[in-house]
């Protein structure tokens, strides 16, 4: 198979791998998948962690290897790259839509505009109200905070700006 | 690899990365000791998440230190097979959790330094340090916000929470001086722009801490005497006890994996 054909097939398989903690998102949506290259007959994949201590990275590597094998690609090198550092700005528009649909409020605004104190203005992913309050700065995973909607009274996860 | 791990840290860059890694790991381990004991569930999750961030930072820094050192030490060798005298962490972070106020004061004093520190290091021409720092800076911002809000709540809370927060501040204050120390290990790295000059961060730290203390109705301790030694491997007795727990498995079953 030609290098371009191989790369295309590898990229399609890799981009479909879902995040183990937020399965509604693929690593392509998240921006965790940074690059897919072909060197000779070897496929090289770069991934980058969302948070320094993200425990999902090892699982993502395993899932990637399995997805590529299922696509008939055996010769594979997966590298974790740190630079440039991942930011929620890389979350695709499609990813943000899927998050909200899943019940997780997507990051509000840009990572660059982050207040030291006070909380971000977050809309409820269920009813859309802006009348929300932060219950806890840290939620079920490193990337989320716990919020509550004052309009519909439902608690929800918020994907923090990072 | 032998059971012990000698890290003479000849190269200043190795020593520098180890100091940062050790501080992040030891603080991360301390915070993880709260798991199962935190006052409320949300706080359990918060302290566990902050610990995870710090241990993640440590892992990246250990891997880099091992790579630069070039003696085949991986992150586990550096974290689990060095003794207390070889650890280069700040004395502040090895201090016991104490009560919740003590944990929060320790976190405020460290995070108020860590955030501007990582922000400055993110501009380092060393691409690996810069990348680790760029991520750690955002994490430190959340850590500071969380600990800062708690400090205000405790200091400006009940009579008992105020008393405990003030006692914790008085107890830990002498460990803050070490944050801003600089020695021969860093001099050449700072001159080359690779490392951050910690003294330059002092005005920002002092202002942020003073503002927080004022809002928390806490009194900055008058004492200016400061502890020193952690970055040169001279530690309080607490570190040995911490390592005995943290390193137990790898010491008993070297190279164990599952």
């Amino acid at each position: 198979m030609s290098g371009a054909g191989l790369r295309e097939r590898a990229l399609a398989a890799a981009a479909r791998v879902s995040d183990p903690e937020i399965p509604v998102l693929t690593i392509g949506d998240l921006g965790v998948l940074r690059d897919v290259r072909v060197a000779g007959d070897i496929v090289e994949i770069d991934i980058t962690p969302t948070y320094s201590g993200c425990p999902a990275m090892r699982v993502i590597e395993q899932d990637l290897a399995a997805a590529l094998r299922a696509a008939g690609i055996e010769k594979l090198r997966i590298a974790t790259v740190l630079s440039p550092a991942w930011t929620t700005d890389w979350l695709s528009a499609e990813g943000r839509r899927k998050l909200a649909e899943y019940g997780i409020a997507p990051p509000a605004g840009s990572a660059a505009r982050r207040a030291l104190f006070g909380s971000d203005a977050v809309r409820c992913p269920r009813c859309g109200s802006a009348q929300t309050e932060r219950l806890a700065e840290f939620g079920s995973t490193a990337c989320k905070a716990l919020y509550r909607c004052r309009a519909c009274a439902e608690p929800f996860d918020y994907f923090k700006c990072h | 690899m032998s059971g012990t791990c000698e890290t003479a840290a000849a190269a200043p860059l190795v020593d520098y990365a180890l100091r940062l890694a050790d501080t992040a790991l030891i603080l991360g381990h301390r915070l993880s000791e709260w798991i199962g004991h935190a006052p409320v569930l949300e706080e359990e999750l918060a302290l566990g998440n902050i610990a995870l961030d710090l241990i993640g930072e440590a892992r990246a820094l250990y891997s880099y230190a091992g790579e630069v050192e070039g003696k085949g030490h991986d992150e586990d060798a550096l974290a689990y097979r060095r003794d207390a005298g070889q650890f280069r962490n700040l004395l502040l972070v090895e201090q016991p959790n104490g009560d919740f106020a003590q944990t929060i004061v320790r976190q405020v004093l460290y995070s108020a330094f860590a955030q501007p520190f990582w922000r400055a290091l993110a501009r380092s021409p060393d691409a690996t340090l810069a990348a680790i720092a760029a991520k750690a800076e955002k994490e430190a911002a959340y850590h500071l916000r969380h600990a800062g809000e708690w400090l205000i709540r405790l200091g400006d809370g009940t009579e008992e929470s105020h008393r405990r927060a003030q006692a914790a501040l008085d107890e830990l204050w002498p460990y803050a001086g070490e944050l801003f120390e600089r020695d021969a290990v860093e001099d050449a790295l700072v001159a080359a722009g690779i490392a951050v000059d910690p003294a330059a961060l002092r005005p920002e730290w002092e202002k942020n801490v003073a503002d927080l203390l004022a809002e928390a109705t806490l009194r900055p301790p008058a004492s200016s005497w400061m502890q020193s030694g952690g970055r040169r491997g001279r530690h309080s007795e607490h570190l040995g006890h911490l390592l005995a727990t943290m390193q137990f498995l790898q010491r008993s079953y070297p190279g164990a994996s599952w």
Side-chain angles (χ1 to χ4, degrees):
Chain A
M1 181 181 299
S2 75
L6 179 59
R7 181 183 180 276
E8 224 162 85
R9 203 150 52 94
L11 181 61
R16 275 198 304 271
V17 169
S18 59
D19 178 84
E21 285 177 338
I22 310 174
V24 69
L25 292 184
T26 66
I27 60 171
D29 294 330
L30 260 175
V32 162
L33 180 64
R34 297 309 297 156
D35 197 15
V36 177
R37 295 178 303 271
V38 172
D41 60 345
I42 298 176
V43 172
E44 297 177 335
I45 298 183
D46 288 345
I47 53 176
T48 193
T50 53
Y51 275 61
S52 299
C54 181
M57 291 308 285
R58 192 65 70 84
V59 180
I60 289 175
E61 276 181 40
Q62 289 167 353
D63 290 352
L64 259 175
L68 275 278
R69 258 200 312 276
I73 296 164
E74 297 280 347
K75 291 188 178 172
L76 182 65
R77 255 201 304 265
I78 301 173
T80 298
V81 296
L82 298 176
S83 184
W86 180 87
T87 152
T88 39
D89 295 346
W90 294 353
L91 205 61
S92 67
E94 173 69 0
R96 284 165 199 266
R97 191 191 58 76
K98 285 187 196 168
L99 268 181
E101 207 167 84
Y102 190 59
I104 298 174
S110 155
R113 290 185 294 112
R114 185 195 51 215
L116 182 52
F117 290 103
S119 46
D120 305 332
V122 178
R123 281 193 176 276
C124 173
R126 294 171 200 281
C127 72
S129 167
Q131 300 299 309
T132 63
E133 61 182 336
R134 194 179 70 210
L135 293 179
E137 181 84 84
F138 297 87
S140 55
T141 64
C143 52
K144 286 177 280 179
L146 189 62
Y147 272 68
R148 174 167 53 201
C149 178
R150 284 201 291 256
C152 71
E154 286 290 330
F156 64 92
D157 272 333
Y158 165 55
F159 200 116
K160 291 187 273 191
C161 273
H162 195 66
Chain B
M1 184 186 307
S2 69
T4 58
C5 172
E6 289 299 322
T7 48
L13 185 56
V14 174
D15 216 351
Y16 190 62
L18 278 179
R19 285 175 171 180
L20 301 179
D22 288 343
T23 289
L25 178 67
I26 298 303
L27 184 55
H29 184 83
R30 273 288 183 234
L31 293 175
S32 77
E33 292 172 352
W34 274 103
I35 293 171
H37 306 279
V40 291
L41 183 59
E42 286 81 359
E43 204 44 36
E44 176 104 0
L45 291 171
L47 295 173
N49 265 310
I50 296 168
L52 198 59
D53 286 341
L54 291 164
I55 293 168
E57 293 163 19
R59 290 185 60 181
L61 288 161
Y62 281 132
S63 295
Y64 185 50
E67 189 187 308
V68 175
E69 189 197 34
K71 292 182 185 164
H73 293 136
D74 63 7
E75 50 179 304
D76 285 342
L78 293 170
Y80 292 129
R81 293 202 285 278
R82 285 183 305 143
D83 282 325
Q86 295 169 300
F87 268 74
R88 303 281 194 271
N89 59 279
L90 299 169
L91 295 170
L92 173 67
V93 300
E94 73 196 41
Q95 298 311 304
N97 286 338
D99 58 14
F100 186 63
Q102 195 162 332
T103 291
I104 289 299
V105 168
R106 187 184 61 198
Q107 199 64 37
V108 164
L109 297 180
Y110 174 72
S111 301
F113 172 81
Q115 201 214 351
F117 173 83
W118 293 124
R119 192 199 309 133
L121 191 65
R123 293 192 294 266
S124 171
D126 182 305
T128 306
L129 286 181
I132 294 169
K135 195 162 286 296
E137 189 261 323
K138 298 183 197 175
E139 288 155 3
Y142 283 115
H143 303 171
L144 177 59
R145 186 159 90 174
H146 168 262
E149 287 177 356
W150 265 116
L151 188 68
I152 293 165
R153 220 172 288 149
L154 294 174
D156 196 17
T158 66
E159 204 176 300
E160 185 183 3
S161 70
H162 177 87
R163 177 177 57 74
R164 286 182 182 236
Q166 185 66 54
L169 186 63
D170 294 343
E171 164 88 17
L172 292 172
W173 192 254
Y175 296 100
E178 207 182 12
L179 292 166
F180 306 102
E181 281 183 8
R182 178 176 148 185
D183 62 15
V185 170
E186 281 135 358
D187 284 344
L189 294 173
V190 169
I194 292 170
V196 174
D197 178 10
L201 308 173
R202 188 157 202 150
E204 182 174 353
W205 181 88
E206 281 178 348
K207 182 181 185 310
N208 283 341
V209 169
D211 288 353
L212 264 177
L213 293 184
E215 202 173 341
T217 71
L218 294 168
R219 168 180 45 75
S223 161
S224 61
W225 179 81
M226 291 292 161
Q227 291 275 12
S228 175
R231 291 158 15 104
R232 297 187 303 278
R234 290 171 54 207
H235 293 280
S236 59
E237 65 171 308
H238 304 299
L239 183 65
H241 293 279
L242 182 153
L243 295 182
T245 305
M246 188 183 80
Q247 298 180 332
F248 167 78
L249 194 86
Q250 284 295 330
R251 294 290 193 182
S252 302
Y253 305 95
S257 64
W258 61 87

